[in-house]
Amino acid sequence: MVGALAEGRDEVLRPLADAVGEGLTSHEFGLYHAVQCQDEVPFNTFSQASRLFTVNADKAVCDAWRLPKTGAAATDSGAADSSTADGGAADGGVSAVKAPAYVLAGQYDPTTPPRTAGPAAEALPAARFQQFPGLSHAVFLASACARREIAGFVGDPARHAPAPCPAPELRPGGLHVTGAPYRISQSPWLAAPLALYALAALIQLVTAALRGRAPAAFGGLAGVAFTGVVAQAVLGLASRNETALAVGLPDLVVPYSSIAVVSAILSAAALYHDRRWPQIAATVISGGFLVWWFTWVL
């Protein structure tokens, strides 16, 4: 995705914008900044502006609001424990927190990384920490396993024992970035050219085989084979990483496209000997599909 954005292909951001757009305005900003300006921003140690726009925006609001930063945690009796020199609670300050807590973080989370989430869990007497390999922020959006673990904790905090979740089976180079799959998921009719191509290839294969016309039959066979291997690759990717199709297709679809090209060539060759409308239709559909495939899908 980073490479695609560097090339100016910002259509891959559409799934992210659709997923979090409403969430950016789903909370009360007064409450949000009341927490941020007292519990987080005053304790940030970096002096230069952050590359995260949300960090800079929060700091601007907090500088204008000038709320006091949070002091030490309160004890059961209501008195506050003394604070350390760096603003944190002294030993025992967090002992007042009795509720069970489940602290989790993605391995590559830049906002709440494991290096800070882990110690936060250790400071709570009834907390457990779990790191999810291969994931970033908001692990519940990207991992069904993470959602199951969260639901298990909420359902029965006392008995919940975190189970390890596998890392997504997606490595650099395994994805051809394109916004087409996501757009098709939102508007299935956009996949009509593929459905028409598969149907035409199947009809061409059957009719040409029955009539003994080898070039046309092999052209139809190549079209059916292309549809099958692409479908297998897409379903395999979806089974390994349910969110990957939002930003691309398996990289194998690029070399698989040569099968569709062969199909179009064989159909055109068959048209030279059989210029009746069924073969003309098959050739036109095959050529139109290639234009759609290479210019819009890939």
Side-chain angles (χ1 to χ4, degrees):
M1 180 185 290
V2 174
L5 292 174
E7 297 172 359
R9 298 168 55 193
D10 57 2
E11 74 275 6
V12 296
L13 291 177
R14 182 175 176 180
L16 299 179
D18 288 348
V20 305
E22 295 182 0
L24 294 176
T25 58
S26 64
H27 52 263
E28 296 293 338
F29 281 100
L31 176 60
Y32 169 80
H33 283 116
V35 175
Q36 288 291 99
C37 295
Q38 296 182 87
D39 294 352
E40 179 172 332
V41 173
F43 301 98
N44 290 336
T45 57
F46 46 83
S47 57
Q48 298 180 350
S50 172
R51 291 187 295 175
L52 294 174
F53 73 93
T54 53
V55 172
N56 298 327
D58 288 347
K59 186 177 186 304
V61 172
C62 296
D63 288 345
W65 205 350
R66 299 181 182 178
L67 291 177
K69 68 180 181 180
T70 301
T75 62
D76 291 334
S77 61
D81 291 325
S82 60
S83 300
T84 60
D86 62 358
D91 291 343
V94 296
S95 61
V97 181
K98 303 299 184 182
Y102 180 32
V103 183
L104 45 89
Q107 179 182 2
Y108 302 115
D109 190 338
T111 305
T112 53
R115 62 181 176 82
T116 58
E122 293 175 359
L124 298 172
R128 66 209 71 175
F129 171 71
Q130 183 172 4
Q131 176 176 312
F132 293 85
L135 298 181
S136 184
H137 195 58
V139 296
F140 62 91
L141 293 177
S143 171
C145 179
R147 291 193 290 272
R148 288 193 297 270
E149 291 301 314
I150 295 171
F153 171 77
V154 173
D156 192 347
R159 296 184 179 182
H160 174 254
C165 290
E169 296 184 20
L170 184 64
R171 297 173 176 81
L175 193 70
H176 177 79
V177 178
T178 170
Y182 180 74
R183 294 183 63 184
I184 290 174
S185 70
Q186 300 298 303
S187 303
W189 65 268
L190 291 174
L194 177 59
L196 179 61
Y197 172 78
L199 178 61
L202 180 60
I203 294 175
Q204 180 181 348
L205 169 61
V206 173
T207 56
L210 293 175
R211 296 169 57 192
R213 299 187 178 275
F218 281 115
L221 178 61
V224 172
F226 166 78
T227 305
V229 294
V230 167
Q232 183 182 27
V234 169
L235 292 175
L237 176 61
S239 66
R240 297 191 303 271
N241 188 320
E242 62 190 54
T243 61
L245 289 177
V247 293
L249 291 168
D251 58 353
L252 287 175
V253 302
V254 177
Y256 286 166
S257 300
S258 61
I259 304 175
V261 174
V262 171
S263 174
I265 293 174
L266 290 173
S267 296
L271 182 61
Y272 181 79
H273 299 286
D274 182 6
R275 300 188 179 182
R276 289 178 292 184
W277 72 265
Q279 190 58 44
I280 294 175
T283 304
V284 170
I285 292 173
S286 183
F289 170 78
L290 289 181
V291 173
W292 174 81
W293 182 257
F294 284 105
T295 61
W296 187 76
V297 175
L298 298 184

